[in-house]
Amino acid sequence: MLNQSVDRFRGEILTDSKSRDRYSLAECIYRVTPSAVVLPASREDVQEALRLAREEGLPLTARGAGSAVAGQSLGSGIILDFSAHMNRILEVNHEERWARVEPGVVLGALNRELAGSGLRFAPDPSSSEFCTLGGMIANNAGGPRSVRYGPTRDHVLSLSAALSGGEVLETRPVDSGELSQARSGDLHRLSRSLFGLVSPCLEEIRRVTPGVRRNASGYELLRSVHPKGVDLTQLLVGSEGTLAVTLEAKLKLTQIPAATATALLSFRDLQSLGAGVLQTLRHDPSAVEALDRSFLDLVRLAGQPEVRRLPDDTEAVLIVELEGVDPTQVAGGLDRLAADLVRGGLADGILPGMDPATRSGIWEIRKAASPILTARQKHLRNTRFIEDACVPTGRLPEFLREIRRILAHHRLQAGIFGHAGDAILHVNPFL
C-alpha cells in the first residue's frame, strides 16, 4: 500500500532497511524500528500519510530532529520527518513581531534569519542548532531562559494542524459567545466538545495540579479552557503529536536585549544553593542554571578553566544571566546580585561576566555537558532516564540530596545539572 502511493507524493517514502534502522534511534535509550518513513513536502503529503495510516491500522509519529530524550520521536508505524522538505520560513512580519514557519524549520536557522532585525524566537533549548520548531511545539520546549520568557507555549499564536482524518484545523481563540452559537466546522465542533468536557472539572483540575513552575505531564487543560472560551492552540502545544500533526505555526517574536551580563555563583552547601535560587529570582534573571558537584568534578577533569578557579569544596554553582537596556543597567544588576548573595552570606563567591569572552567562558561550563558526559568512560554509558524532573523551587535542595543518596546507595556516578530557576533538573547516571 505504501509503495502504491509513491506517485501521489511530492516528497519521499522510505521502506528500505537502512532508512528504517536510521529512524529507529533518537536521543533516548530506546530503539523502535518503524514500518516506513515519510518525508513530506506538502500538507497534501501529510494528509496522504494519515490516510495510509488509517487504512493500514498503523500508528503515525511526527518527528523533527529526533533530539527529544523520552522516546517521543520513535514509533513502530509510519514516521513523518518534516526536517527534509517542510522546512521553510514562510513569512516574517517585523512590525507586528511574528513569523510563520513550517514544522521542519530549525530554531537556530530561524534566529539567524531574524538576527539583523533585532528579533528572535525566545525559547532556547540546548539543542537549538538542530531541533525543529515542530518538535519544540510538540514538546513545549523551554531552555535556560524559560525562567524569564516561558516555554514554547507562551510564544505560539496559532497553528495549522492535520487531524487524524486528514482535515486541516486552523486554531485561534474561540470566545464564549461563539461557543454558544451552532457554528459548523472542526474549530467550533472541537472547541464546544472540549469546553463541555473540561469546564465542569476546572476547579478539581486546579486542585490536583502540582505547584511547580513547569509541568509536561498530560495535556494543558487549564490554559486551553477558561470561562471566557477555548484556545485549541494551547491544547495542541505540548501534546506530542497525539492530537494532531502541525503543518504551519505562527510564532510570536521577542526583541533581543540591548545588554547582557552573566555571573558564576559558587555555593558550599545545598541549602544555601536553594535559598540562593529563590533570592536570585527576585533580581528578574533571564537564566538561572545549576550544576552540582558531581557534574563540576567531571568538567574540572576535562580542564574547563572557569571551573578550575572554583574552591575544591564547592558543592554547586549557579549560572545567572541578567538583561537590560544598556551595560550600565546590567552592571548595576550584577552589583546588587553580589551584594544580596555573596555579601549576604548565601554564596561563597561570584565571577562576574560583562565582556563577551568571560560570558562565553561561563556558559561553556553548561554547554560542555553533553560532550563531557558522552565521552566520560568507554565502558560506561551516559544514560538519560531522569530527564526534566521538576519540583517546587523551594524543594530543590531536598531533591538533590535524595538523588545523591539513591546514587550513592547503588554506587553510581551521575552528572546533575539543569534549569534551577524552574527547578528542572537532568540526572544522567553512568551505567
Side-chain angles (χ1 to χ4, degrees), residues 298 372-382 413 430:
L298 298 177
I372 289 175
L373 293 172
T374 300
R376 176 65 182 127
Q377 294 185 35
K378 291 182 179 179
H379 66 287
L380 292 177
R381 180 181 175 186
N382 166 37
Q413 285 184 297
F430 298 112

Side-chain angles (χ1 to χ4, degrees), residues 67-401:
S67 56
V69 297
Q72 306 98 310
S73 304
L74 304 181
S76 60
I78 297 173
I79 297 291
L80 275 181
D81 180 358
F82 288 95
S83 64
H85 304 300
M86 292 185 68
N87 54 16
R88 296 177 300 158
I89 301 171
L90 300 170
E91 185 179 3
V92 177
N93 188 314
H94 297 97
E95 291 184 359
E96 297 181 11
R97 296 186 181 180
W98 55 261
R100 193 165 55 87
V101 301
E102 292 182 319
V105 173
V106 172
L107 172 61
L110 174 64
N111 280 337
R112 281 190 292 276
E113 179 76 17
L114 295 170
S117 65
L119 299 172
R120 68 181 178 192
F121 187 63
D124 62 331
S126 58
S127 55
S128 61
E129 285 307 310
F130 46 89
C131 71
T132 66
L133 288 157
M136 291 180 66
I137 291 166
N139 293 336
N140 188 31
R145 293 175 180 86
S146 65
V147 67
R148 180 165 190 175
Y149 294 102
T152 298
R153 175 174 286 113
D154 295 338
H155 303 269
V156 180
L157 299 173
S158 63
L159 294 170
S160 295
L163 304 176
S164 61
E167 308 91 340
V168 175
L169 176 70
E170 305 286 346
T171 70
R172 63 171 177 81
V174 177
D175 63 32
S176 55
E178 283 188 81
L179 288 175
S180 64
Q181 302 169 11
R183 293 195 186 184
S184 60
D186 290 318
L187 176 66
H188 291 88
R189 176 179 61 84
L190 293 171
S191 295
R192 282 194 300 269
S193 296
L194 186 66
F195 187 82
L197 180 69
V198 175
S199 58
C201 310
L202 281 174
E203 289 308 312
E204 178 66 9
I205 294 170
R206 288 192 186 95
R207 188 184 69 81
V208 300
T209 298
V212 293
R213 289 174 64 96
R214 292 281 302 280
N215 185 359
S217 301
Y219 300 114
E220 178 49 82
L221 299 178
L222 291 178
R223 290 181 59 170
S224 306
V225 178
H226 46 83
K228 294 183 179 180
V230 171
D231 187 355
L232 293 179
T233 304
Q234 294 295 315
L235 183 68
L236 294 183
V237 177
S239 64
E240 297 186 355
T242 59
L243 301 177
V245 176
T246 299
L247 302 171
E248 291 180 15
K250 184 178 179 181
L251 308 174
K252 181 176 71 175
L253 304 179
T254 301
Q255 188 74 39
I256 297 173
T260 308
T262 309
L264 182 67
L265 292 154
S266 58
F267 299 84
R268 293 188 184 180
D269 63 81
L270 294 179
Q271 200 62 40
S272 296
L273 170 74
V277 171
L278 295 176
Q279 284 292 96
T280 299
L281 291 174
R282 298 175 181 175
H283 292 261
D284 191 26
S286 54
V288 186
E289 293 287 288
L291 309 170
D292 105 316
R293 183 189 64 220
S294 56
F295 181 76
L296 293 174
D297 289 344
L298 298 177
V299 180
R300 188 180 282 110
L301 287 173
Q304 219 287 339
E306 271 71 20
V307 173
R308 288 205 306 266
R309 294 163 60 178
L310 295 171
D312 291 339
D313 60 350
T314 297
E315 197 67 22
V317 299
L318 289 180
I319 298 173
V320 179
E321 185 177 88
L322 303 176
E323 296 176 352
V325 296
D326 56 48
T328 301
Q329 184 187 35
V330 292
L334 280 186
D335 288 341
R336 289 188 292 273
L337 185 69
D340 194 6
L341 274 80
V342 180
R343 291 191 284 278
L346 284 175
D348 293 297
I350 183 170
L351 172 64
M354 286 292 297
D355 61 284
T358 305
R359 291 185 56 241
S360 176
I362 293 173
W363 275 111
E364 278 303 316
I365 301 173
R366 174 66 175 84
K367 292 178 182 178
S370 292
I372 289 175
L373 293 172
T374 300
R376 176 65 182 127
Q377 294 185 35
K378 291 182 179 179
H379 66 287
L380 292 177
R381 180 181 175 186
N382 166 37
T383 311
R384 292 174 154 177
F385 64 89
I386 309 175
E387 277 289 337
D388 288 341
C390 188
V391 299
T393 310
R395 300 190 69 180
L396 186 61
E398 179 186 353
F399 179 79
L400 283 168
R401 280 196 298 272

